[in-house]
């Protein structure tokens, strides 16, 4: 009986706490929204051992395109905070597969990540 009374008392306290007004006083400023960094534009990196540049073009209509990458065809993108998801097709040796790259927007660079590690970075073309 004692256990049931203690349980009932705790349940009542929890219900009263959830019904209490938890809004902040008017004098406290609202937290600032984190501004989403624009990923629009061309992002490139040097082609190792060959020269020139390769990369990705991020367009306003949700479309993406590859820059000097014949076997990696970017088609579309979505952004969530500072993370960019770029989807397309990887073409190689007679087979084509769907793929999505995960990139972190870091100011004027896009960090290409896999498994939580940065593999390389693209720089925003000016």
């Amino acid at each position: 009986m004692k256990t049931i009374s203690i349980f009932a008392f705790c349940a009542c306290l929890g219900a009263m706490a959830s019904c209490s007004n938890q809004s902040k006083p008017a004098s406290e400023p609202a937290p600032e929204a984190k501004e989403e960094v624009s990923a629009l534009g061309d992002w490139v990196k040097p082609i190792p051992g060959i020269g020139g540049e390769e990369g990705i073009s991020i367009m306003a209509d949700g479309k993406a395109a590859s820059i000097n990458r014949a076997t990696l065809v970017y088609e579309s993108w979505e952004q969530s905070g500072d993370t960019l998801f770029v989807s397309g097709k990887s073409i190689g040796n007679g087979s084509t597969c769907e793929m999505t790259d995960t990139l972190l927007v870091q100011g004027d660079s896009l960090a290409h990540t896999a498994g939580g590690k940065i593999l390389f970075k693209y720089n925003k073309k000016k």
Side-chain angles (χ1 to χ4, degrees), residues 23-56:
S23 63
K24 293 183 180 181
S27 61
E28 280 188 41
E32 290 184 34
K34 185 177 178 183
E35 187 175 325
E36 194 168 276
V37 177
S38 175
L40 298 179
D42 290 344
W43 301 82
V44 295
K45 71 177 187 73
I47 300 173
I50 298 175
E53 296 176 323
E54 64 183 7
I56 182 167

